[in-house]
């Protein structure tokens, strides 16, 4: 309470602050230092060493926090809108399905089924199609099994074509023949784009400079990295001529090449192509006229001619029918609608789900009544956090008051009692409440013994909201007491004495003079307790039952059980936004400057 | 207490004792009686018990023993808020969450005084301390001096007859302190209030008070008017504590009525007024104010004892000269001479004779060793 605290502006000497203020005020050009440079510049130069030193001191922590805290949180939040899995797994389908109009009441045309066949064939080979199934299952139940069954049957779709082609000329079964047929110059763009596609499917990004450095360091210690996927030689060069003549075949063979080399580590020239390549060849050849076939005179022209003739005998494959054979659900609009709705790389779908809404062709709409749970959970979380905060204020204020008014030695003893819970495991404390509150627990036993409660009417105090509130109030109480205490201990006794000397009774003194000055402590404690309780997990999980759980329990469920990380991230983001909004509102109403955590 | 028949006593302490720990007495047997309208200062070093006395009077501490009476009525058992005593604190104690006007109207509100009346009184009090335009400000927006004026106005606004001030100017700079000292005394006399003022600043005590009570070690060492306190200290503590003072130690050789002769430890003889000495052969400490030491033999009485002195240091201080001498083995002996045209400036190293009027030299109690 010295004077200096109340009138810092009275210092007129050359303090750094005053100098800066004066420099700001000077409109008549910059003030110059003795060496003729602007004063600000030379001041900055003088302070640079200090700044660098300060930065160096916090650098380790900053780095640690960035790597271990901010980056994972950022990544997690990003997952709430990220939806690249659809595009990465079925790029060709995503491209063609956008032209489909679900309002026509028809399923997509054959082109979409065909694109889906090639996409799914590739991703099924890479064993990635079920992941997409799981992802889409969050949006529409049943998609997961549809993807699994289609993955099983996919191999047989192109069998008629493959049989006809292989029967037409034995060379079609030779890996070397295929290799020669497709080899050439000029179409490696297509090949590389397939490699890119494969890497996205596998979730591998291009190696960055950072990765190169890591690998460089690793190789120094005799632990070199594998060659980056984008640098592995495919030992195959796609012919431009054949690509123009047989576009689908070239694309399918490129897929096959990329997969064979990158995934299986085999040599393309020694491997017989997939069924999908035969299917693609069949589609390509069937689309040609006799004249076009005869006009081709590159490698294997005779074999192509033979295949063309043989294929003429074979009926066209209908991919649509094949899909429906595998799972009749592929024959209705629903799965395709979901695929179209969620084909974008970023989606609000998780957020909509988190607020009990869903995306439909008609736009956003509320989910059916029986599927809405998150609104209720958010409401309950907020309400219970408020109740907990309020009970903490009621219980904590008298303790903090006592603490700040006791002589130091007794205050220290009491402070240890307040801090005692901090030194006990959270789990132990929560479990203790379980012992206390359960129907055969200590409190009920005592009440029955006292005759206040009949033995078969024991109170239910756990696995409900009451249990959660009691246990969390107890656990969070120190977080309320400590800021309150630190504020109260800075209120000089002379205020109370002054008020009394002015004629105020004890109550008036407290209410008009002491209490208003302790409000910043209540504010600080409330923010702390409220924010902690809004995200609390362990205690509600253990004593909350079903009616006493918080939104965070649901988040944990989606993280560890249902593995719907996108939804968990969306719920977490909403929680974060709610907390920030409350903080902002508090700042506007009370003013964050009034919140003191100490001193 | 022989004084209890005193009917005009407004504030009375009778045999008051105070102990915090039950082992040591902070205030030992305090007897004090103040008439209405007096400005009394409690002066003393920290820990001397002066603030404890004030707090007992205000009601924030209870006396362990003895009676405190206000206007003839014992107030030991009256809670502070019913005593009607105004109080000013060192740290101002203005309520930071209220404006200046709200601070002032607080004591009126708790007394259930009507709004219009309240506003008039607040305005009058603010004008009284020349802070009429500051009613809407918060205490944090005021300087220290302004805050203390407001605190003063707040202590006076409910028109108490007794105002206690606990080192109210301690946190202010020198110039402001002097201005406010003057204002507080003027105000106190104009309003006719009784003031108990606690300070450790002796200048403040001397300039402001009607009477000063010098506290040390839980006891009033001397209770007297400022001039008497300065010129006629009753013991060596008071002499040392108030003003600058030269001391010499010796033994009493001769007592003749109201003068005595003291033989200093190096053999020199001086005249003094016996204050705390009663018999020949007693150890004593004599005290002489620096401005009462005479270097001009002509101004002294016939036959006055003189002492040899060596000039050690000469300091020019503008209005006065401060010269440090070595006298009878004491090289911290200071004399002050007025800066007049005919005044000599003593060169360090010269030998001079010094003397003084016997009345100015007081033989006090020897320090206990």
């Amino acid at each position: 309470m010295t004077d200096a605290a109340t009138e810092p502006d009275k210092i007129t000497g050359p303090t750094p602050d005053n100098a800066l203020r004066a420099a700001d005020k000077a409109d008549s050009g910059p003030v110059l230092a003795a060496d003729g440079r602007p004063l600000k510049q030379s001041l900055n130069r003088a302070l640079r060493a200090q700044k660098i030193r300060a930065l160096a001191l916090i650098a380790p922590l900053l780095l640690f926090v960035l790597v271990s805290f901010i980056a994972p949180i950022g990544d997690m939040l990003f997952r709430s809108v990220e939806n690249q899995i659809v595009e990465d797994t079925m790029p060709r389908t995503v491209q063609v399905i956008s032209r489909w109009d679900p309002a026509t009441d028809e399923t997509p045309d054959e082109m979409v089924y065909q694109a889906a066949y090639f996409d799914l064939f590739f991703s099924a080979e890479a064993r990635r199609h079920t992941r997409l199934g799981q992802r889409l299952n969050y949006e529409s139940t049943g998609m997961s099994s549809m993807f699994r069954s289609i993955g099983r049957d996919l191999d047989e779709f192109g069998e008629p074509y493959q049989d006809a082609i292989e029967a037409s000329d034995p060379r079609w079964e030779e890996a070397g023949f295929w290799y020669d047929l497709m080899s050439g110059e000029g179409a490696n763009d297509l090949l590389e784009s397939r490699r890119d596609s494969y890497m996205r499917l596998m979730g591998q990004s291009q190696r960055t400079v950072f990765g190169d450095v890591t690998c460089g360091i690793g190789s120094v210690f005799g632990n070199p990295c594998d060659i980056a996927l984008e640098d592995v030689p495919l030992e195959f060069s796609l012919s431009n001529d054949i690509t123009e003549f047989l576009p689908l075949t070239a694309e399918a063979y490129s897929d096959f090449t990329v997969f064979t080399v990158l995934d299986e580590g085999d040599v393309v020239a020694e491997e017989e192509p997939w069924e999908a390549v035969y299917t693609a060849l069949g589609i390509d050849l069937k689309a040609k006229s006799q004249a076009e076939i005869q006009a081709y005179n590159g490698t294997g022209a005779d074999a192509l001619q033979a295949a063309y003739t043989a294929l003429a005998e074979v009926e066209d494959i209908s991919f649509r029918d094949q899909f429906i054979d595998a799972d009749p659900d592929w024959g209705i609009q629903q799965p395709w609608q979901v695929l179209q709705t969620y084909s974008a790389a970023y989606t609000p779908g998780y957020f909509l789900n988190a607020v009990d809404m869903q995306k439909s062709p008609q736009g956003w709409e509320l989910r059916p009544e029986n599927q809405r749970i998150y609104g209720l959970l958010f409401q309950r979380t907020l309400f219970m956090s408020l109740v907990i905060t309020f009970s903490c204020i009621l219980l904590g204020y008298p303790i903090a008051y006592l603490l700040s008014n006791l002589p130091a030695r007794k205050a220290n003893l009491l402070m240890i009692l307040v801090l005692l819970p901090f030194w006990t495991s959270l789990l132990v404390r929560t479990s203790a409440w379980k012992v206390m509150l359960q129907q055969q627990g200590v409190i009920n036993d005592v009440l029955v013994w006292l005759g206040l409660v009949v033995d078969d009417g024991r109170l239910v105090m756990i696995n409900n909201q009451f249990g959660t509130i009691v246990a969390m109030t107890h656990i969070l109480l120190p977080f309320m007491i400590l800021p309150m205490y630190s504020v109260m201990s800075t209120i000089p006794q002379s205020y109370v004495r002054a008020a009394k000397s002015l004629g105020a009774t004890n109550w008036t003194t407290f209410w008009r003079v002491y209490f208003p000055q302790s409000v910043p402590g209540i504010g600080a404690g409330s923010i702390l307790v409220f924010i902690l309780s809004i995200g609390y997990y362990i205690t509600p999980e253990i004593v909350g039952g079903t009616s006493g759980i918080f939104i965070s329990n649901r988040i944990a469920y989606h993280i560890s059980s249902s593995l719907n990380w996108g939804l968990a991230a969306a719920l977490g983001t909403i929680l974060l936004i709610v907390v920030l909004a409350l903080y902002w509102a508090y700042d506007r109403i009370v003013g964050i400057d009034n919140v003191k955590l100490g001193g | 207490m022989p004084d209890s028949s005193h009917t005009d006593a407004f504030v009375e302490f009778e045999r008051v004792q105070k102990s915090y720990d039950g082992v040591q007495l902070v205030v030992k047997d305090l007897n004090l009686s103040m008439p209405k309208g007096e400005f009394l200062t409690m002066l003393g070093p920290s820990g001397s018990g002066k603030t404890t006395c004030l707090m007992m009077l205000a009601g924030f501490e209870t006396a362990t023993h003895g009676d405190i009476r206000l206007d003839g009525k014992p107030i030991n058992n009256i809670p502070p808020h019913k005593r009607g005593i105004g109080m000013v604190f060192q740290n101002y104690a203005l309520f930071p969450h209220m404006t200046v006007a709200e601070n002032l109207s607080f004591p009126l509100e708790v007394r259930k005084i009507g709004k219009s009346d309240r506003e008039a009184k607040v305005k009058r009090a603010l004008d009284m301390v020349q802070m009429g335009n500051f009613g809407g400000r918060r205490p944090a927006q005021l300087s220290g001096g302004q805050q203390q004026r407001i605190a003063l106005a707040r202590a006076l606004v409910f028109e108490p007859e007794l105002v206690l001030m606990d080192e109210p100017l301690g946190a202010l700079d020198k110039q402001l302190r002097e201005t406010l000292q003057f204002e507080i005394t003027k105000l106190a006399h104009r309003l006719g209030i009784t003031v108990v003022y606690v300070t450790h600043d002796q200048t403040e005590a001397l300039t402001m008070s009607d009477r000063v009570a010098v506290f040390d070690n839980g006891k009033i060492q001397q209770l007297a008017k400022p001039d008497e306190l300065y010129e006629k200290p009753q013991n060596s503590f008071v002499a040392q504590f108030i003003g600058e003072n030269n001391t010499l130690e010796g033994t009493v050789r001769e007592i003749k009525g109201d003068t005595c002769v003291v033989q200093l430890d190096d053999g020199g003889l001086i005249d003094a007024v016996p204050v705390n000495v009663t018999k020949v052969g007693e150890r004593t400490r004599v005290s002489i104010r620096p401005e009462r030491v005479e270097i001009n033999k002509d101004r002294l009485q016939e036959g006055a004892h003189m002492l040899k002195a060596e000039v050690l240091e000469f300091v020019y201080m503008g209005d006065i000269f401060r010269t440090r001498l070595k006298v009878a083995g004491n090289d911290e002996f200071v004399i002050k001479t007025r800066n007049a045209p005919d005044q000599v400036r003593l060169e360090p190293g010269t030998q001079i004779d010094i003397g003084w009027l016997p009345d100015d030299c007081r033989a006090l109690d020897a320090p206990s060793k």
Side-chain angles (χ1 to χ4, degrees):
Chain A
M1 288 307 291
T2 61
D3 234 7
T6 57
E7 42 181 356
D9 285 330
K10 278 209 156 181
I11 301 163
T12 50
T15 67
D17 274 6
N18 285 349
L20 285 176
R21 241 174 272 148
D24 283 344
K25 258 186 249 164
D27 295 333
S28 55
V31 184
L32 298 185
D35 58 359
R37 278 189 317 213
L39 187 57
K40 269 193 175 175
Q41 195 183 323
S42 58
L43 185 67
N44 282 341
R45 183 180 295 261
L47 294 178
R48 192 172 304 150
Q50 259 180 319
K51 282 183 187 160
I52 290 173
R53 188 166 162 270
L55 201 64
L57 284 173
I58 61 160
L61 179 63
L62 189 69
L63 214 65
F64 176 74
V65 167
L66 266 178
V67 170
S68 69
F69 195 66
I70 295 180
I73 286 182
D75 178 66
M76 207 56 220
L77 296 185
F78 179 64
R79 281 171 194 269
S80 62
V81 291
E82 197 247 35
N83 190 42
Q84 279 159 352
I85 184 170
V86 180
E87 209 187 356
D88 286 350
T89 314
M90 303 184 74
R92 284 166 278 216
T93 317
V94 164
Q95 225 169 32
V96 290
I97 205 172
S98 63
R99 290 195 297 266
W100 172 57
D101 179 9
T104 57
D105 285 342
E106 282 172 19
T107 49
D109 59 22
E110 180 65 17
M111 283 303 289
V112 174
Y113 282 99
Q114 185 187 312
Y117 165 74
F118 285 109
D119 278 337
L120 285 173
F121 194 96
F122 189 46
S123 51
E125 286 294 328
R127 295 164 300 277
R128 289 269 153 171
H129 65 299
T130 49
R131 280 166 36 114
L132 179 62
Q134 272 167 20
R135 160 69 187 97
L136 294 175
N137 204 49
Y138 299 144
E139 310 301 339
S140 167
T141 320
M143 295 282 275
S144 185
S145 72
M146 286 168 67
F147 271 80
R148 265 202 307 278
S149 54
I150 200 81
R152 270 195 307 273
D153 295 354
L154 217 48
D155 289 352
E156 285 133 39
F157 286 7
E159 224 161 73
Y161 287 173
Q162 186 179 3
D163 290 347
I165 293 169
E166 283 179 355
S168 70
D169 193 321
R171 281 180 294 172
W172 284 118
E173 289 181 59
E174 290 168 20
F177 172 73
W178 272 101
Y179 184 79
D180 292 341
L181 176 69
M182 306 308 287
S183 282
E185 291 295 332
N188 282 341
D189 284 356
L190 175 65
L191 199 57
E192 287 305 320
S193 86
R194 296 321 299 161
R195 186 211 289 264
D196 193 48
S197 220
Y198 169 77
M199 284 172 63
R200 286 177 58 187
L201 176 64
M202 302 307 284
Q204 306 253 356
S205 52
Q206 301 231 336
R207 191 175 285 167
T208 56
V209 179
F210 183 70
D212 286 341
V213 172
T214 320
C215 287
I217 295 170
S219 62
V220 170
F221 294 101
N223 184 20
C225 300
D226 296 333
I227 302 173
L229 280 182
E230 67 263 29
D231 295 334
V232 175
L234 295 174
E235 305 195 351
F236 168 69
S237 180
L238 187 62
S239 151
N240 191 42
D241 292 343
I242 202 81
T243 306
E244 275 173 10
F245 186 61
L246 303 169
L248 273 180
T249 316
E251 197 176 315
Y253 195 78
S254 299
D255 277 349
F256 164 70
T257 307
V258 166
F259 189 81
T260 307
V261 176
L262 297 185
D263 199 271
E264 296 175 337
D266 290 331
V267 179
V268 197
E270 294 167 4
E271 298 294 321
E272 192 187 343
W274 290 335
E275 297 83 355
V277 179
Y278 292 94
T279 316
L281 181 63
I283 298 168
D284 272 340
L285 288 178
K286 270 182 164 290
K288 302 277 179 217
S289 63
Q290 180 69 35
E292 283 172 311
I293 297 294
Q294 280 165 350
Y296 177 77
N297 52 8
T299 323
D302 51 340
L304 282 173
Q305 177 65 51
Y308 180 75
T309 317
L311 281 168
E313 309 292 317
V314 182
E315 212 178 315
D316 280 6
I317 297 174
S318 163
F319 288 103
R320 186 172 182 278
D321 293 346
Q322 303 269 21
F323 267 69
I324 294 171
D325 272 353
D327 191 324
D329 281 347
W330 287 109
I332 56 172
Q333 280 201 328
Q334 165 78 0
W336 300 105
Q337 259 182 32
V338 171
L339 208 59
Q340 191 188 40
T341 314
Y342 290 96
S343 60
Y346 299 97
T347 176
Y350 293 118
F351 276 101
L352 290 176
N353 195 351
V355 293
D356 289 339
M357 293 175 79
Q358 64 186 0
K359 212 171 163 185
S360 72
Q362 288 78 42
W364 298 353
E365 60 182 24
L366 268 178
R367 278 173 189 268
E369 197 98 25
N370 58 353
Q371 288 182 20
R372 295 178 206 163
I373 63 165
Y374 299 112
L376 179 75
L377 265 177
F378 271 115
Q379 271 175 32
R380 186 199 289 161
T381 305
L382 289 178
F383 169 73
M384 284 174 65
S385 299
L386 277 177
V387 172
I388 290 162
T389 308
F390 199 68
S391 0
C392 279
I393 295 175
L394 283 185
L395 294 175
Y397 196 92
I399 308 280
Y401 180 82
L402 190 64
L403 266 174
S404 62
N405 283 296
L406 278 180
R409 225 158 45 137
K410 286 183 189 163
N412 280 343
L413 190 72
L414 199 58
M415 185 58 103
I416 288 174
L417 295 181
V418 168
L419 290 177
L420 207 59
F422 272 145
W423 304 331
T424 320
S425 152
L426 176 65
L427 218 54
V428 172
R429 277 180 284 158
T430 307
S431 309
W433 276 111
K434 208 156 182 145
V435 175
M436 295 289 288
L437 295 176
Q438 58 184 268
Q439 279 193 293
Q440 303 300 322
V442 179
I443 293 179
N444 265 313
D445 281 352
V446 171
L447 289 178
V448 169
W449 182 72
L450 288 174
L452 293 172
V453 166
V454 287
D455 197 19
D456 48 3
R458 285 170 176 255
L459 302 175
V460 182
M461 293 185 290
I462 204 159
N463 294 334
N464 55 16
Q465 297 197 3
F466 179 81
T468 308
I469 290 171
V470 168
M472 279 182 64
T473 301
H474 168 247
I475 284 161
L476 294 175
L477 198 54
F479 292 101
M480 182 64 85
I481 294 177
L482 290 178
M484 276 187 182
Y485 166 67
S486 73
V487 167
M488 286 181 182
S489 57
T490 60
I491 302 176
Q493 215 192 1
S494 63
Y495 288 132
V496 172
R497 289 189 160 178
K500 285 186 183 168
S501 81
L502 293 170
T505 57
N506 288 342
W507 170 249
T508 314
T509 302
F510 170 77
W511 185 243
R512 295 277 314 271
V513 175
Y514 192 88
F515 180 75
Q517 297 191 60
S518 65
V519 163
I522 300 178
S526 302
I527 288 192
L528 209 59
V529 168
F530 187 78
I531 290 179
L532 279 174
S533 62
I534 213 173
Y536 230 66
Y537 163 65
I538 290 182
T539 306
E541 183 74 21
I542 295 176
V543 299
T546 46
S547 68
I549 61 161
F550 279 22
I551 193 73
S552 48
N553 299 95
R554 202 68 199 165
I555 296 178
Y557 165 76
H558 283 307
I559 289 279
S560 56
S561 299
S562 83
L563 301 183
N564 189 353
W565 286 17
L567 180 56
L571 289 170
T573 308
I574 291 175
L575 199 57
L576 185 66
I577 290 169
V578 168
V579 168
L580 289 179
L582 286 170
Y583 187 81
W584 176 82
Y586 184 90
D587 184 33
R588 292 297 300 268
I589 298 164
V590 182
I592 229 68
D593 296 344
N594 287 330
V595 171
K596 291 177 192 160
L597 288 174
Chain B
M1 169 108 193
D3 247 350
S4 58
S5 58
H6 232 261
T7 45
D8 66 339
F10 183 59
V11 178
E12 257 185 307
F13 284 83
E14 191 181 326
R15 313 215 60 175
V16 171
Q17 291 184 321
K18 172 72 186 175
S19 171
Y20 287 109
D21 52 7
V23 180
Q24 249 181 326
L25 282 173
V26 184
V27 174
K28 304 169 182 162
D29 196 25
L30 179 81
N31 294 293
L32 180 71
S33 156
M34 282 174 73
K36 207 165 187 158
E38 188 181 46
F39 195 119
L40 180 128
T41 298
M42 293 176 170
L43 174 69
S46 44
S48 60
K50 56 189 192 310
T51 301
T52 307
C53 283
L54 196 76
M55 290 303 161
M56 286 192 288
L57 187 52
F60 300 126
E61 302 288 355
T62 48
T64 313
H65 176 82
D67 281 332
I68 303 172
R69 282 191 287 272
L70 183 64
D71 208 6
K73 292 184 286 278
I75 55 168
N76 291 37
N77 293 322
I78 297 180
H81 67 269
K82 288 188 179 156
R83 295 192 182 190
I85 298 173
M87 190 150 182
V88 182
F89 296 83
Q90 179 176 10
N91 58 17
Y92 325 128
L94 294 177
F95 308 138
H97 57 289
M98 300 183 189
T99 63
V100 165
E102 285 165 351
N103 262 287
L104 258 69
S105 108
F106 181 82
L108 305 174
E109 275 171 50
V110 300
R111 285 179 171 73
K112 311 251 185 318
I113 290 173
K115 189 163 184 253
S116 55
D117 225 12
R118 229 159 51 202
E119 279 168 4
K121 278 175 193 257
V122 167
K123 190 178 178 324
R124 203 167 346 128
L126 281 176
D127 287 340
M128 186 173 71
V129 292
Q130 288 123 47
M131 295 284 290
N133 298 325
F134 291 81
R137 300 255 195 120
R138 298 253 169 193
Q141 295 169 302
L142 303 178
S143 72
Q146 290 170 328
Q147 289 192 50
Q148 197 51 288
R149 279 166 201 254
I150 299 299
L152 188 63
R154 189 179 65 176
L156 296 173
V157 70
F158 60 99
E159 291 159 13
E161 289 186 301
L162 174 63
V163 176
L164 312 181
M165 304 194 188
D166 185 11
E167 308 213 18
L169 308 180
L172 303 180
D173 60 56
K174 188 164 176 284
Q175 217 168 356
L176 204 55
R177 208 156 59 209
E178 280 166 6
T179 323
L180 277 172
Q181 281 168 9
F182 176 67
E183 279 181 35
I184 290 174
T185 4
K186 212 173 64 175
L187 209 56
H189 284 132
R190 203 180 76 210
L191 300 173
I193 48 174
T194 312
V195 178
V196 180
Y197 190 100
V198 164
T199 183
H200 62 260
D201 179 342
Q202 37 138 329
T203 326
E204 209 165 277
L206 294 180
T207 53
M208 297 176 79
S209 336
D210 296 327
R211 279 196 300 166
V212 180
V214 181
F215 274 72
D216 185 43
N217 204 12
K219 271 192 245 175
I220 294 184
Q221 301 290 337
Q222 189 170 359
L223 173 61
K225 291 189 164 55
D227 53 346
E228 195 183 327
L229 201 65
Y230 186 80
E231 285 165 29
K232 298 194 170 66
Q234 287 298 322
N235 55 38
S236 55
F237 174 81
V238 177
Q240 285 284 64
F241 194 73
I242 308 280
E244 207 172 356
N245 191 52
N246 292 307
T247 55
L248 297 168
E249 287 183 23
T251 315
V252 180
R253 280 282 157 259
E254 193 184 340
I255 300 183
K256 280 187 289 186
D258 55 358
T259 61
C260 65
V261 176
V262 175
Q263 180 171 33
L264 299 180
D265 290 347
D266 74 334
L269 292 175
I270 54 170
D271 301 312
V273 175
V275 179
N276 280 343
V277 289
T278 45
K279 54 183 189 287
V280 172
E282 206 174 337
R283 290 289 295 169
T284 184
R285 170 182 271 181
V286 297
S287 114
I288 314 104
R289 296 286 175 198
E291 67 276 12
R292 298 294 171 98
V293 177
E294 198 53 75
I295 54 173
N296 189 346
K297 208 174 188 177
D298 303 342
R299 300 211 189 137
L300 292 177
Q301 284 173 334
E302 200 61 33
H305 287 106
M306 301 287 284
L307 288 176
K308 295 271 178 234
E310 183 192 351
V311 179
L312 295 178
E313 191 184 11
F314 176 82
V315 181
Y316 178 82
M317 293 180 75
D319 54 344
I320 54 163
F321 304 144
R322 191 172 186 277
T323 314
R324 191 158 63 85
L325 307 174
K326 180 169 182 168
V327 178
N330 177 2
D331 53 8
E332 292 295 330
F333 198 97
V334 171
I335 63 171
K336 287 178 182 164
T337 45
R338 203 165 56 87
N339 183 358
D342 58 336
Q343 191 63 266
V344 273
R345 299 187 183 194
L346 298 165
E347 290 296 320
T350 47
Q351 297 285 338
I352 55 168
D353 287 334
I354 58 166
W356 44 79
L357 298 172
D359 274 354
D360 292 332
C361 179
R362 297 169 69 80
L364 305 169
D365 49 323
S368 47
K369 280 176 185 165

